[in-house]
Amino acid sequence: MLEIKNIKKSFGQTDVLHDVSLSVNKGDVIAILGPSGSGKTTLLRCLNFLEKADGGTMTFDKETIELHKASKRTIARIRKKTAFVFQNYNLFANKTALQNVTEGLIVGRKMPKDEANKIAHEALKKVGMEDRSDYYPSQLSGGQQQRVAIARAIAVNPEIIYFDEPTSALDPELTVEVLAVMKRLAQEGMTMLVVTHEMNFARTVSNRVIFMEKGVIVEQGSSKEFFEHPKEMRTKEFLRIFQE
């Protein structure tokens, strides 16, 4: 459903992505691993046009787009098929949980308010937050805020969700509740690209793993093969650190 070829991105004189290519099938849950500064987040942001790639193509639903030439209309069309869950939630502080979920439906998709409210309640229920629908972000824990952010993502019925280190700002107890929601989404067949440091999630929930460093994909494969039989020496070193 998604194929990217030769994505390039630089910030000034610093090359962040070097000819990154990747195929995503419907229902894939792909964990993207790697040390800080390896280009993982930049890759996701380029795929959702939060950053403008310097080169490369994306084929999404049989439509091929040159990323650096994409028009505003094309970007809007692609974004309607995707959702993005940020590391730091990105909720509107002055809106309730329910309003945070309905905002994109009413304003972005011109949906009638009653219909948007119904969809938002269902999305909040799915992430275990329906009883907090009238709470403001300041009244919610970090884990609860992230679950609202996930509800906002699934409410738009995306074909794929990008997760950018969704648990990195959370303590271990809150991390567990967010990962449980993501696991349920994976079991329901949601296609997901997840930048994460959660090795257990990558091993047990994702079906594929990508390991990046210095803007390139060093190794990729099935989760089982990646963790049990890594091929590249750099991958083995990376995994050894987490196993110690």
Side-chain angles (χ1 to χ4, degrees), residues 93-116:
N94 63 335
K95 295 184 183 297
T96 65
L98 181 69
Q99 291 168 335
N100 266 282
V101 179
T102 60
E103 183 76 5
L105 301 175
I106 296 170
V107 177
R109 308 203 175 204
K110 312 303 181 187
M111 187 179 290
K113 186 175 180 179
D114 287 349
E115 184 181 351

Side-chain angles (χ1 to χ4, degrees), residues 101-137:
V101 179
T102 60
E103 183 76 5
L105 301 175
I106 296 170
V107 177
R109 308 203 175 204
K110 312 303 181 187
M111 187 179 290
K113 186 175 180 179
D114 287 349
E115 184 181 351
N117 281 336
K118 181 181 178 182
I119 290 172
H121 276 295
E122 290 173 353
L124 288 168
K125 183 177 181 180
K126 181 172 281 192
V127 301
M129 288 297 295
E130 191 177 28
D131 63 339
R132 298 287 193 274
S133 62
D134 294 330
Y135 284 50
Y136 289 89

Side-chain angles (χ1 to χ4, degrees), residues 28 30 32 45-47 55 57 63 94 119 163 168 197 222:
D28 272 349
I30 301 178
I32 305 176
R45 292 178 65 86
C46 285
L47 294 182
T57 63
E63 176 185 10
N94 63 335
I119 290 172
F163 290 85
S168 65
H197 292 295
S222 72

Side-chain angles (χ1 to χ4, degrees), residues 49-63:
F49 300 98
L50 296 170
E51 297 284 357
K52 185 177 180 181
D54 298 324
T57 63
M58 168 196 290
T59 301
F60 196 176
D61 285 346
K62 300 180 181 178
E63 176 185 10

Side-chain angles (χ1 to χ4, degrees), residues 47-91:
L47 294 182
N48 210 39
F49 300 98
L50 296 170
E51 297 284 357
K52 185 177 180 181
D54 298 324
T57 63
M58 168 196 290
T59 301
F60 196 176
D61 285 346
K62 300 180 181 178
E63 176 185 10
T64 300
I65 302 148
E66 290 192 58
L67 294 173
H68 65 296
K69 295 181 179 179
S71 66
K72 290 183 178 179
R73 182 176 295 181
T74 297
I75 291 170
R77 187 169 63 250
I78 295 297
R79 281 182 175 165
K80 282 190 173 182
K81 302 177 183 180
T82 69
F84 201 104
V85 176
F86 296 87
Q87 178 176 335
N88 292 315
Y89 331 132
N90 279 26
L91 300 180

